[in-house]
Amino acid sequence: MELTHIEHIGIAVKNLDAAISYYESVFGLRCYAVEEVKEQKVKTAFFMVGQTKIELLESTDAEGPIGKFIEKKGEGIHHLAFAVKNLENALEETESKGIQLIDKLPRKGAEGLDIAFLHPKSTFGVLTELCENKNNK
Ligand code: ZN
């Protein structure tokens, strides 16, 4: 498979507005998008750093994945996302190498990306996302 770059780093936060203001006032970054992803029960905010994004994730439901994550581990880095050239092939290859997939097939994530997660049990504890931006083609 071909990884092109770190697409984004997902960070779980309790309060999106407070976290946005931290990244803006301390680092001088500009939040360029806020988007709710209903099926993931999150509100996301994005910043660009070079070609990598910071994706802040605030839970909209305590029972959602980010709500549960924060309850268990507190705020902090939630996942690492690699951009890949061909997501379907990358997933097949990953599975053939014995890695446990959370998503066997790509699904839609924030910003219209096709995304899929690998299970942290198989990835040395890092919830890993592979994503492909098909909008740019
Ligand atoms: Zn992500």
Side-chain angles (χ1 to χ4, degrees):
M1 83 181 75
E2 192 180 341
L3 299 188
T4 57
H5 60 287
I6 293 176
E7 215 285 330
H8 62 271
I9 297 168
I11 299 173
V13 301
K14 288 182 183 164
N15 182 314
L16 199 63
D17 292 333
I20 289 171
S21 123
Y22 163 74
Y23 281 93
E24 290 189 331
S25 66
V26 175
F27 298 114
L29 298 174
R30 190 179 59 82
C31 173
Y32 69 87
V34 173
E35 182 185 343
E36 186 168 349
V37 184
K38 286 232 163 73
E39 51 287 8
Q40 287 299 301
K41 300 183 168 75
V42 289
K43 234 167 91 180
T44 61
F46 288 93
F47 301 86
M48 206 75 212
V49 184
Q51 54 173 346
T52 301
K53 295 161 192 159
I54 301 286
E55 177 186 40
L56 302 179
L57 302 151
E58 180 196 77
S59 186
T60 55
D61 181 337
E63 291 307 306
I66 296 300
K68 286 187 186 154
F69 176 87
I70 287 180
E71 192 187 309
K72 244 168 82 182
K73 300 189 172 170
E75 294 178 293
I77 292 182
H78 177 259
H79 67 274
L80 178 64
F82 294 117
V84 295
K85 280 268 166 74
N86 182 320
L87 182 54
E88 286 83 0
N89 289 354
L91 286 175
E92 250 173 54
E93 185 182 336
T94 307
E95 192 171 34
S96 79
K97 289 177 174 167
I99 303 300
Q100 190 184 331
L101 307 182
I102 294 176
D103 303 298
K104 298 216 174 206
L105 294 170
R107 58 188 169 83
K108 283 288 173 200
E111 299 199 300
L113 295 182
D114 290 296
I115 67 165
F117 282 97
L118 314 182
H119 202 288
K121 277 181 192 158
S122 294
T123 59
F124 295 85
V126 178
L127 177 58
T128 302
E129 176 182 342
L130 300 179
C131 54
E132 182 179 11
N133 186 353
K134 290 184 175 163
N135 309 314
N136 281 354
K137 283 181 185 166

mmCIF file of all heavy atoms in Angstrom, residues 34-86:
data_model
loop_
_atom_site.group_PDB
_atom_site.id
_atom_site.type_symbol
_atom_site.label_atom_id
_atom_site.label_comp_id
_atom_site.label_asym_id
_atom_site.label_seq_id
_atom_site.Cartn_x
_atom_site.Cartn_y
_atom_site.Cartn_z
ATOM 1 N N VAL A 34 -16.181 23.419 10.987
ATOM 2 C CA VAL A 34 -16.790 22.689 12.096
ATOM 3 C C VAL A 34 -17.888 21.857 11.466
ATOM 4 O O VAL A 34 -18.660 22.355 10.646
ATOM 5 C CB VAL A 34 -17.376 23.644 13.164
ATOM 6 C CG1 VAL A 34 -18.149 22.861 14.219
ATOM 7 C CG2 VAL A 34 -16.264 24.446 13.834
ATOM 8 N N GLU A 35 -17.893 20.587 11.801
ATOM 9 C CA GLU A 35 -18.849 19.700 11.141
ATOM 10 C C GLU A 35 -19.343 18.666 12.145
ATOM 11 O O GLU A 35 -18.560 18.125 12.919
ATOM 12 C CB GLU A 35 -18.135 18.989 9.972
ATOM 13 C CG GLU A 35 -19.026 18.076 9.154
ATOM 14 C CD GLU A 35 -18.226 17.304 8.073
ATOM 15 O OE1 GLU A 35 -17.088 17.711 7.761
ATOM 16 O OE2 GLU A 35 -18.750 16.304 7.587
ATOM 17 N N GLU A 36 -20.647 18.393 12.111
ATOM 18 C CA GLU A 36 -21.173 17.320 12.951
ATOM 19 C C GLU A 36 -21.256 16.050 12.118
ATOM 20 O O GLU A 36 -21.736 16.073 10.982
ATOM 21 C CB GLU A 36 -22.564 17.703 13.481
ATOM 22 C CG GLU A 36 -23.090 16.685 14.462
ATOM 23 C CD GLU A 36 -24.324 17.150 15.233
ATOM 24 O OE1 GLU A 36 -24.657 18.355 15.165
ATOM 25 O OE2 GLU A 36 -24.940 16.293 15.893
ATOM 26 N N VAL A 37 -20.728 14.952 12.670
ATOM 27 C CA VAL A 37 -20.867 13.649 12.003
ATOM 28 C C VAL A 37 -21.831 12.841 12.859
ATOM 29 O O VAL A 37 -21.461 12.278 13.888
ATOM 30 C CB VAL A 37 -19.500 12.927 11.855
ATOM 31 C CG1 VAL A 37 -19.668 11.614 11.080
ATOM 32 C CG2 VAL A 37 -18.495 13.827 11.123
ATOM 33 N N LYS A 38 -23.107 12.841 12.419
ATOM 34 C CA LYS A 38 -24.190 12.303 13.249
ATOM 35 C C LYS A 38 -23.977 10.841 13.600
ATOM 36 O O LYS A 38 -24.154 10.437 14.738
ATOM 37 C CB LYS A 38 -25.538 12.482 12.524
ATOM 38 C CG LYS A 38 -26.037 13.929 12.520
ATOM 39 C CD LYS A 38 -27.480 14.019 13.038
ATOM 40 C CE LYS A 38 -27.857 15.440 13.441
ATOM 41 N NZ LYS A 38 -28.056 16.340 12.282
ATOM 42 N N GLU A 39 -23.588 10.043 12.601
ATOM 43 C CA GLU A 39 -23.496 8.599 12.881
ATOM 44 C C GLU A 39 -22.353 8.257 13.846
ATOM 45 O O GLU A 39 -22.383 7.214 14.483
ATOM 46 C CB GLU A 39 -23.472 7.746 11.604
ATOM 47 C CG GLU A 39 -22.499 8.071 10.498
ATOM 48 C CD GLU A 39 -22.800 9.310 9.654
ATOM 49 O OE1 GLU A 39 -23.704 10.122 9.931
ATOM 50 O OE2 GLU A 39 -22.060 9.453 8.691
ATOM 51 N N GLN A 40 -21.383 9.196 13.965
ATOM 52 C CA GLN A 40 -20.311 8.985 14.948
ATOM 53 C C GLN A 40 -20.585 9.711 16.267
ATOM 54 O O GLN A 40 -19.786 9.631 17.192
ATOM 55 C CB GLN A 40 -18.981 9.469 14.364
ATOM 56 C CG GLN A 40 -18.420 8.554 13.283
ATOM 57 C CD GLN A 40 -18.156 7.159 13.830
ATOM 58 O OE1 GLN A 40 -17.387 6.980 14.757
ATOM 59 N NE2 GLN A 40 -18.841 6.161 13.273
ATOM 60 N N LYS A 41 -21.703 10.448 16.302
ATOM 61 C CA LYS A 41 -22.076 11.195 17.507
ATOM 62 C C LYS A 41 -20.968 12.145 17.956
ATOM 63 O O LYS A 41 -20.605 12.205 19.132
ATOM 64 C CB LYS A 41 -22.455 10.238 18.638
ATOM 65 C CG LYS A 41 -23.640 9.326 18.278
ATOM 66 C CD LYS A 41 -24.024 8.451 19.450
ATOM 67 C CE LYS A 41 -25.351 7.758 19.243
ATOM 68 N NZ LYS A 41 -25.280 6.630 18.299
ATOM 69 N N VAL A 42 -20.418 12.864 16.974
ATOM 70 C CA VAL A 42 -19.371 13.837 17.284
ATOM 71 C C VAL A 42 -19.564 15.129 16.516
ATOM 72 O O VAL A 42 -20.168 15.165 15.438
ATOM 73 C CB VAL A 42 -17.937 13.341 16.934
ATOM 74 C CG1 VAL A 42 -17.474 12.265 17.872
ATOM 75 C CG2 VAL A 42 -17.814 12.921 15.482
ATOM 76 N N LYS A 43 -19.008 16.175 17.096
ATOM 77 C CA LYS A 43 -18.817 17.427 16.403
ATOM 78 C C LYS A 43 -17.314 17.587 16.221
ATOM 79 O O LYS A 43 -16.549 17.367 17.158
ATOM 80 C CB LYS A 43 -19.376 18.594 17.239
ATOM 81 C CG LYS A 43 -20.378 19.448 16.491
ATOM 82 C CD LYS A 43 -21.113 20.365 17.427
ATOM 83 C CE LYS A 43 -20.392 21.700 17.542
ATOM 84 N NZ LYS A 43 -21.102 22.615 18.470
ATOM 85 N N THR A 44 -16.916 17.938 15.005
ATOM 86 C CA THR A 44 -15.488 18.008 14.712
ATOM 87 C C THR A 44 -15.112 19.438 14.342
ATOM 88 O O THR A 44 -15.934 20.204 13.837
ATOM 89 C CB THR A 44 -15.124 17.101 13.520
ATOM 90 O OG1 THR A 44 -15.838 17.546 12.362
ATOM 91 C CG2 THR A 44 -15.492 15.658 13.790
ATOM 92 N N ALA A 45 -13.860 19.781 14.609
ATOM 93 C CA ALA A 45 -13.324 21.075 14.180
ATOM 94 C C ALA A 45 -11.947 20.811 13.585
ATOM 95 O O ALA A 45 -11.193 19.975 14.099
ATOM 96 C CB ALA A 45 -13.216 22.034 15.362
ATOM 97 N N PHE A 46 -11.633 21.512 12.488
ATOM 98 C CA PHE A 46 -10.403 21.227 11.753
ATOM 99 C C PHE A 46 -9.463 22.414 11.670
ATOM 100 O O PHE A 46 -9.886 23.553 11.488
ATOM 101 C CB PHE A 46 -10.741 20.794 10.323
ATOM 102 C CG PHE A 46 -11.349 19.433 10.244
ATOM 103 C CD1 PHE A 46 -12.720 19.280 10.248
ATOM 104 C CD2 PHE A 46 -10.550 18.302 10.173
ATOM 105 C CE1 PHE A 46 -13.292 18.021 10.183
ATOM 106 C CE2 PHE A 46 -11.102 17.059 10.110
ATOM 107 C CZ PHE A 46 -12.484 16.908 10.108
ATOM 108 N N PHE A 47 -8.187 22.087 11.776
ATOM 109 C CA PHE A 47 -7.096 23.040 11.579
ATOM 110 C C PHE A 47 -6.106 22.401 10.628
ATOM 111 O O PHE A 47 -5.914 21.194 10.659
ATOM 112 C CB PHE A 47 -6.358 23.308 12.899
ATOM 113 C CG PHE A 47 -7.232 23.846 13.987
ATOM 114 C CD1 PHE A 47 -7.943 22.982 14.800
ATOM 115 C CD2 PHE A 47 -7.354 25.204 14.185
ATOM 116 C CE1 PHE A 47 -8.761 23.470 15.804
ATOM 117 C CE2 PHE A 47 -8.161 25.703 15.192
ATOM 118 C CZ PHE A 47 -8.869 24.837 15.997
ATOM 119 N N MET A 48 -5.457 23.228 9.837
ATOM 120 C CA MET A 48 -4.454 22.730 8.910
ATOM 121 C C MET A 48 -3.067 23.065 9.466
ATOM 122 O O MET A 48 -2.817 24.212 9.856
ATOM 123 C CB MET A 48 -4.657 23.482 7.586
ATOM 124 C CG MET A 48 -4.198 22.768 6.366
ATOM 125 S SD MET A 48 -5.333 21.461 5.927
ATOM 126 C CE MET A 48 -4.124 20.338 5.241
ATOM 127 N N VAL A 49 -2.183 22.072 9.503
ATOM 128 C CA VAL A 49 -0.783 22.306 9.879
ATOM 129 C C VAL A 49 0.052 21.643 8.790
ATOM 130 O O VAL A 49 0.181 20.425 8.765
ATOM 131 C CB VAL A 49 -0.441 21.677 11.253
ATOM 132 C CG1 VAL A 49 0.990 22.034 11.658
ATOM 133 C CG2 VAL A 49 -1.425 22.126 12.325
ATOM 134 N N GLY A 50 0.605 22.451 7.873
ATOM 135 C CA GLY A 50 1.236 21.849 6.699
ATOM 136 C C GLY A 50 0.179 21.094 5.917
ATOM 137 O O GLY A 50 -0.894 21.632 5.651
ATOM 138 N N GLN A 51 0.456 19.834 5.574
ATOM 139 C CA GLN A 51 -0.593 19.076 4.887
ATOM 140 C C GLN A 51 -1.316 18.126 5.836
ATOM 141 O O GLN A 51 -2.090 17.273 5.417
ATOM 142 C CB GLN A 51 -0.067 18.346 3.657
ATOM 143 C CG GLN A 51 1.114 17.449 3.897
ATOM 144 C CD GLN A 51 1.442 16.635 2.641
ATOM 145 O OE1 GLN A 51 0.657 16.550 1.702
ATOM 146 N NE2 GLN A 51 2.614 16.038 2.618
ATOM 147 N N THR A 52 -1.064 18.313 7.132
ATOM 148 C CA THR A 52 -1.718 17.479 8.143
ATOM 149 C C THR A 52 -2.748 18.310 8.884
ATOM 150 O O THR A 52 -2.548 19.493 9.120
ATOM 151 C CB THR A 52 -0.658 16.928 9.122
ATOM 152 O OG1 THR A 52 0.294 16.170 8.391
ATOM 153 C CG2 THR A 52 -1.280 16.064 10.189
ATOM 154 N N LYS A 53 -3.869 17.664 9.219
ATOM 155 C CA LYS A 53 -4.911 18.372 9.957
ATOM 156 C C LYS A 53 -4.920 17.945 11.411
ATOM 157 O O LYS A 53 -4.557 16.819 11.727
ATOM 158 C CB LYS A 53 -6.280 18.052 9.354
ATOM 159 C CG LYS A 53 -6.459 18.554 7.946
ATOM 160 C CD LYS A 53 -7.596 17.812 7.268
ATOM 161 C CE LYS A 53 -7.572 18.119 5.774
ATOM 162 N NZ LYS A 53 -8.284 17.081 5.006
ATOM 163 N N ILE A 54 -5.359 18.842 12.234
ATOM 164 C CA ILE A 54 -5.743 18.504 13.603
ATOM 165 C C ILE A 54 -7.261 18.413 13.569
ATOM 166 O O ILE A 54 -7.934 19.335 13.091
ATOM 167 C CB ILE A 54 -5.325 19.610 14.600
ATOM 168 C CG1 ILE A 54 -3.807 19.833 14.576
ATOM 169 C CG2 ILE A 54 -5.833 19.299 15.996
ATOM 170 C CD1 ILE A 54 -2.999 18.760 15.234
ATOM 171 N N GLU A 55 -7.795 17.289 14.004
ATOM 172 C CA GLU A 55 -9.240 17.091 14.044
ATOM 173 C C GLU A 55 -9.668 16.996 15.499
ATOM 174 O O GLU A 55 -9.357 16.019 16.180
ATOM 175 C CB GLU A 55 -9.615 15.796 13.296
ATOM 176 C CG GLU A 55 -11.087 15.464 13.344
ATOM 177 C CD GLU A 55 -11.413 14.097 12.722
ATOM 178 O OE1 GLU A 55 -10.637 13.146 12.927
ATOM 179 O OE2 GLU A 55 -12.424 13.988 12.032
ATOM 180 N N LEU A 56 -10.332 18.042 15.986
ATOM 181 C CA LEU A 56 -10.839 17.997 17.352
ATOM 182 C C LEU A 56 -12.196 17.304 17.341
ATOM 183 O O LEU A 56 -13.011 17.519 16.440
ATOM 184 C CB LEU A 56 -10.990 19.422 17.914
ATOM 185 C CG LEU A 56 -9.718 20.279 17.937
ATOM 186 C CD1 LEU A 56 -10.041 21.666 18.497
ATOM 187 C CD2 LEU A 56 -8.616 19.606 18.745
ATOM 188 N N LEU A 57 -12.425 16.473 18.335
ATOM 189 C CA LEU A 57 -13.650 15.672 18.389
ATOM 190 C C LEU A 57 -14.346 15.893 19.729
ATOM 191 O O LEU A 57 -13.774 15.590 20.783
ATOM 192 C CB LEU A 57 -13.301 14.183 18.259
ATOM 193 C CG LEU A 57 -12.540 13.767 16.995
ATOM 194 C CD1 LEU A 57 -11.663 12.561 17.268
ATOM 195 C CD2 LEU A 57 -13.516 13.490 15.870
ATOM 196 N N GLU A 58 -15.549 16.442 19.660
ATOM 197 C CA GLU A 58 -16.353 16.578 20.881
ATOM 198 C C GLU A 58 -17.563 15.670 20.744
ATOM 199 O O GLU A 58 -18.243 15.684 19.717
ATOM 200 C CB GLU A 58 -16.822 18.036 21.055
ATOM 201 C CG GLU A 58 -17.669 18.242 22.302
ATOM 202 C CD GLU A 58 -18.435 19.564 22.269
ATOM 203 O OE1 GLU A 58 -19.466 19.635 21.559
ATOM 204 O OE2 GLU A 58 -18.021 20.522 22.926
ATOM 205 N N SER A 59 -17.823 14.894 21.771
ATOM 206 C CA SER A 59 -18.950 13.969 21.725
ATOM 207 C C SER A 59 -20.272 14.725 21.828
ATOM 208 O O SER A 59 -20.390 15.681 22.584
ATOM 209 C CB SER A 59 -18.830 12.978 22.880
ATOM 210 O OG SER A 59 -19.839 12.013 22.764
ATOM 211 N N THR A 60 -21.258 14.268 21.059
ATOM 212 C CA THR A 60 -22.594 14.853 21.195
ATOM 213 C C THR A 60 -23.492 13.916 22.011
ATOM 214 O O THR A 60 -24.673 14.176 22.197
ATOM 215 C CB THR A 60 -23.240 15.081 19.810
ATOM 216 O OG1 THR A 60 -23.252 13.841 19.091
ATOM 217 C CG2 THR A 60 -22.464 16.119 19.020
ATOM 218 N N ASP A 61 -22.922 12.789 22.461
ATOM 219 C CA ASP A 61 -23.704 11.773 23.162
ATOM 220 C C ASP A 61 -22.731 10.951 24.022
ATOM 221 O O ASP A 61 -21.749 10.418 23.500
ATOM 222 C CB ASP A 61 -24.381 10.873 22.110
ATOM 223 C CG ASP A 61 -25.238 9.788 22.739
ATOM 224 O OD1 ASP A 61 -25.006 9.425 23.914
ATOM 225 O OD2 ASP A 61 -26.131 9.277 22.044
ATOM 226 N N ALA A 62 -23.010 10.893 25.321
ATOM 227 C CA ALA A 62 -22.096 10.192 26.240
ATOM 228 C C ALA A 62 -21.897 8.733 25.841
ATOM 229 O O ALA A 62 -20.882 8.120 26.157
ATOM 230 C CB ALA A 62 -22.623 10.277 27.675
ATOM 231 N N GLU A 63 -22.873 8.175 25.102
ATOM 232 C CA GLU A 63 -22.776 6.763 24.696
ATOM 233 C C GLU A 63 -22.039 6.580 23.371
ATOM 234 O O GLU A 63 -21.805 5.465 22.925
ATOM 235 C CB GLU A 63 -24.183 6.143 24.578
ATOM 236 C CG GLU A 63 -24.899 5.986 25.916
ATOM 237 C CD GLU A 63 -24.062 5.224 26.932
ATOM 238 O OE1 GLU A 63 -23.631 4.102 26.608
ATOM 239 O OE2 GLU A 63 -23.815 5.759 28.025
ATOM 240 N N GLY A 64 -21.682 7.691 22.720
ATOM 241 C CA GLY A 64 -20.960 7.590 21.451
ATOM 242 C C GLY A 64 -19.506 7.210 21.689
ATOM 243 O O GLY A 64 -19.035 7.193 22.826
ATOM 244 N N PRO A 65 -18.785 6.881 20.612
ATOM 245 C CA PRO A 65 -17.398 6.431 20.764
ATOM 246 C C PRO A 65 -16.481 7.445 21.450
ATOM 247 O O PRO A 65 -15.641 7.049 22.270
ATOM 248 C CB PRO A 65 -16.939 6.157 19.314
ATOM 249 C CG PRO A 65 -17.977 6.761 18.427
ATOM 250 C CD PRO A 65 -19.245 6.866 19.221
ATOM 251 N N ILE A 66 -16.649 8.735 21.169
ATOM 252 C CA ILE A 66 -15.778 9.720 21.810
ATOM 253 C C ILE A 66 -16.207 9.939 23.270
ATOM 254 O O ILE A 66 -15.373 10.085 24.159
ATOM 255 C CB ILE A 66 -15.789 11.054 21.025
ATOM 256 C CG1 ILE A 66 -15.191 10.845 19.627
ATOM 257 C CG2 ILE A 66 -15.027 12.146 21.768
ATOM 258 C CD1 ILE A 66 -13.753 10.362 19.613
ATOM 259 N N GLY A 67 -17.514 9.900 23.516
ATOM 260 C CA GLY A 67 -17.999 10.000 24.893
ATOM 261 C C GLY A 67 -17.419 8.896 25.760
ATOM 262 O O GLY A 67 -16.932 9.140 26.873
ATOM 263 N N LYS A 68 -17.438 7.676 25.228
ATOM 264 C CA LYS A 68 -16.909 6.539 25.994
ATOM 265 C C LYS A 68 -15.399 6.650 26.162
ATOM 266 O O LYS A 68 -14.856 6.314 27.218
ATOM 267 C CB LYS A 68 -17.247 5.222 25.275
ATOM 268 C CG LYS A 68 -18.708 4.844 25.420
ATOM 269 C CD LYS A 68 -18.934 3.462 24.829
ATOM 270 C CE LYS A 68 -20.406 3.091 24.809
ATOM 271 N NZ LYS A 68 -20.685 2.112 23.737
ATOM 272 N N PHE A 69 -14.729 7.099 25.109
ATOM 273 C CA PHE A 69 -13.268 7.242 25.171
ATOM 274 C C PHE A 69 -12.880 8.212 26.282
ATOM 275 O O PHE A 69 -11.998 7.932 27.096
ATOM 276 C CB PHE A 69 -12.741 7.740 23.813
ATOM 277 C CG PHE A 69 -11.261 8.025 23.797
ATOM 278 C CD1 PHE A 69 -10.345 7.019 23.511
ATOM 279 C CD2 PHE A 69 -10.769 9.301 24.062
ATOM 280 C CE1 PHE A 69 -8.978 7.282 23.497
ATOM 281 C CE2 PHE A 69 -9.410 9.572 24.051
ATOM 282 C CZ PHE A 69 -8.512 8.549 23.772
ATOM 283 N N ILE A 70 -13.554 9.366 26.325
ATOM 284 C CA ILE A 70 -13.206 10.376 27.329
ATOM 285 C C ILE A 70 -13.519 9.874 28.736
ATOM 286 O O ILE A 70 -12.753 10.098 29.672
ATOM 287 C CB ILE A 70 -13.928 11.717 27.023
ATOM 288 C CG1 ILE A 70 -13.262 12.367 25.804
ATOM 289 C CG2 ILE A 70 -13.895 12.648 28.231
ATOM 290 C CD1 ILE A 70 -13.851 13.695 25.385
ATOM 291 N N GLU A 71 -14.609 9.135 28.867
ATOM 292 C CA GLU A 71 -14.945 8.600 30.184
ATOM 293 C C GLU A 71 -13.853 7.634 30.673
ATOM 294 O O GLU A 71 -13.479 7.632 31.841
ATOM 295 C CB GLU A 71 -16.290 7.887 30.117
ATOM 296 C CG GLU A 71 -16.851 7.556 31.490
ATOM 297 C CD GLU A 71 -18.095 6.693 31.392
ATOM 298 O OE1 GLU A 71 -18.998 7.079 30.633
ATOM 299 O OE2 GLU A 71 -18.130 5.644 32.061
ATOM 300 N N LYS A 72 -13.336 6.820 29.755
ATOM 301 C CA LYS A 72 -12.329 5.816 30.120
ATOM 302 C C LYS A 72 -10.935 6.421 30.280
ATOM 303 O O LYS A 72 -10.216 6.115 31.211
ATOM 304 C CB LYS A 72 -12.270 4.731 29.032
ATOM 305 C CG LYS A 72 -12.702 3.360 29.539
ATOM 306 C CD LYS A 72 -12.914 2.356 28.424
ATOM 307 C CE LYS A 72 -11.639 1.704 27.944
ATOM 308 N NZ LYS A 72 -11.923 0.769 26.808
ATOM 309 N N LYS A 73 -10.555 7.260 29.318
ATOM 310 C CA LYS A 73 -9.154 7.697 29.263
ATOM 311 C C LYS A 73 -8.961 9.193 29.458
ATOM 312 O O LYS A 73 -7.830 9.657 29.558
ATOM 313 C CB LYS A 73 -8.544 7.300 27.912
ATOM 314 C CG LYS A 73 -8.567 5.800 27.685
ATOM 315 C CD LYS A 73 -7.772 5.407 26.464
ATOM 316 C CE LYS A 73 -7.655 3.898 26.363
ATOM 317 N NZ LYS A 73 -7.102 3.463 25.079
ATOM 318 N N GLY A 74 -10.033 9.940 29.439
ATOM 319 C CA GLY A 74 -9.899 11.394 29.522
ATOM 320 C C GLY A 74 -9.616 11.991 28.151
ATOM 321 O O GLY A 74 -9.568 11.286 27.144
ATOM 322 N N GLU A 75 -9.416 13.291 28.129
ATOM 323 C CA GLU A 75 -9.136 13.965 26.869
ATOM 324 C C GLU A 75 -7.753 13.560 26.363
ATOM 325 O O GLU A 75 -6.898 13.173 27.137
ATOM 326 C CB GLU A 75 -9.147 15.488 27.074
ATOM 327 C CG GLU A 75 -10.519 16.042 27.437
ATOM 328 C CD GLU A 75 -10.475 17.541 27.678
ATOM 329 O OE1 GLU A 75 -9.839 17.957 28.664
ATOM 330 O OE2 GLU A 75 -11.092 18.277 26.884
ATOM 331 N N GLY A 76 -7.562 13.695 25.058
ATOM 332 C CA GLY A 76 -6.231 13.422 24.513
ATOM 333 C C GLY A 76 -6.297 12.853 23.117
ATOM 334 O O GLY A 76 -7.366 12.828 22.491
ATOM 335 N N ILE A 77 -5.138 12.404 22.650
ATOM 336 C CA ILE A 77 -5.057 11.874 21.284
ATOM 337 C C ILE A 77 -5.924 10.629 21.170
ATOM 338 O O ILE A 77 -5.821 9.704 21.981
ATOM 339 C CB ILE A 77 -3.600 11.593 20.897
ATOM 340 C CG1 ILE A 77 -2.844 12.923 20.780
ATOM 341 C CG2 ILE A 77 -3.538 10.823 19.570
ATOM 342 C CD1 ILE A 77 -1.402 12.787 20.353
ATOM 343 N N HIS A 78 -6.795 10.628 20.176
ATOM 344 C CA HIS A 78 -7.742 9.535 19.995
ATOM 345 C C HIS A 78 -7.350 8.616 18.853
ATOM 346 O O HIS A 78 -7.400 7.409 18.976
ATOM 347 C CB HIS A 78 -9.134 10.134 19.749
ATOM 348 C CG HIS A 78 -10.190 9.111 19.476
ATOM 349 N ND1 HIS A 78 -10.641 8.835 18.210
ATOM 350 C CD2 HIS A 78 -10.856 8.279 20.310
ATOM 351 C CE1 HIS A 78 -11.566 7.888 18.283
ATOM 352 N NE2 HIS A 78 -11.711 7.539 19.530
ATOM 353 N N HIS A 79 -6.933 9.196 17.737
ATOM 354 C CA HIS A 79 -6.499 8.342 16.622
ATOM 355 C C HIS A 79 -5.550 9.071 15.687
ATOM 356 O O HIS A 79 -5.426 10.301 15.710
ATOM 357 C CB HIS A 79 -7.698 7.789 15.853
ATOM 358 C CG HIS A 79 -8.509 8.813 15.115
ATOM 359 N ND1 HIS A 79 -9.528 9.525 15.707
ATOM 360 C CD2 HIS A 79 -8.458 9.249 13.830
ATOM 361 C CE1 HIS A 79 -10.070 10.341 14.810
ATOM 362 N NE2 HIS A 79 -9.440 10.216 13.661
ATOM 363 N N LEU A 80 -4.891 8.242 14.872
ATOM 364 C CA LEU A 80 -3.925 8.717 13.890
ATOM 365 C C LEU A 80 -4.438 8.277 12.529
ATOM 366 O O LEU A 80 -4.809 7.114 12.357
ATOM 367 C CB LEU A 80 -2.580 8.038 14.197
ATOM 368 C CG LEU A 80 -1.409 8.320 13.289
ATOM 369 C CD1 LEU A 80 -1.024 9.795 13.372
ATOM 370 C CD2 LEU A 80 -0.218 7.462 13.712
ATOM 371 N N ALA A 81 -4.489 9.208 11.579
ATOM 372 C CA ALA A 81 -5.045 8.873 10.264
ATOM 373 C C ALA A 81 -4.004 9.045 9.168
ATOM 374 O O ALA A 81 -3.432 10.119 8.999
ATOM 375 C CB ALA A 81 -6.259 9.756 9.967
ATOM 376 N N PHE A 82 -3.781 7.957 8.436
ATOM 377 C CA PHE A 82 -2.879 7.991 7.291
ATOM 378 C C PHE A 82 -3.676 8.126 6.009
ATOM 379 O O PHE A 82 -4.700 7.454 5.834
ATOM 380 C CB PHE A 82 -2.087 6.682 7.190
ATOM 381 C CG PHE A 82 -1.119 6.443 8.310
ATOM 382 C CD1 PHE A 82 -1.280 5.357 9.155
ATOM 383 C CD2 PHE A 82 -0.043 7.292 8.512
ATOM 384 C CE1 PHE A 82 -0.375 5.122 10.188
ATOM 385 C CE2 PHE A 82 0.868 7.063 9.540
ATOM 386 C CZ PHE A 82 0.694 5.968 10.379
ATOM 387 N N ALA A 83 -3.207 8.981 5.117
ATOM 388 C CA ALA A 83 -3.801 9.044 3.781
ATOM 389 C C ALA A 83 -3.194 7.924 2.945
ATOM 390 O O ALA A 83 -1.978 7.731 2.944
ATOM 391 C CB ALA A 83 -3.511 10.399 3.148
ATOM 392 N N VAL A 84 -4.051 7.168 2.250
ATOM 393 C CA VAL A 84 -3.580 6.099 1.368
ATOM 394 C C VAL A 84 -4.093 6.334 -0.046
ATOM 395 O O VAL A 84 -5.090 7.035 -0.254
ATOM 396 C CB VAL A 84 -4.032 4.691 1.840
ATOM 397 C CG1 VAL A 84 -3.410 4.332 3.171
ATOM 398 C CG2 VAL A 84 -5.546 4.593 1.908
ATOM 399 N N LYS A 85 -3.418 5.708 -0.995
ATOM 400 C CA LYS A 85 -3.786 5.894 -2.399
ATOM 401 C C LYS A 85 -5.043 5.129 -2.773
ATOM 402 O O LYS A 85 -5.892 5.626 -3.483
ATOM 403 C CB LYS A 85 -2.613 5.479 -3.306
ATOM 404 C CG LYS A 85 -1.534 6.555 -3.418
ATOM 405 C CD LYS A 85 -1.788 7.483 -4.619
ATOM 406 C CE LYS A 85 -0.950 8.754 -4.584
ATOM 407 N NZ LYS A 85 0.470 8.554 -4.920
ATOM 408 N N ASN A 86 -5.162 3.887 -2.335
ATOM 409 C CA ASN A 86 -6.341 3.097 -2.697
ATOM 410 C C ASN A 86 -6.843 2.382 -1.453
ATOM 411 O O ASN A 86 -6.284 1.366 -1.038
ATOM 412 C CB ASN A 86 -5.974 2.091 -3.792
ATOM 413 C CG ASN A 86 -7.181 1.281 -4.246
ATOM 414 O OD1 ASN A 86 -8.020 0.867 -3.432
ATOM 415 N ND2 ASN A 86 -7.284 1.054 -5.536
#
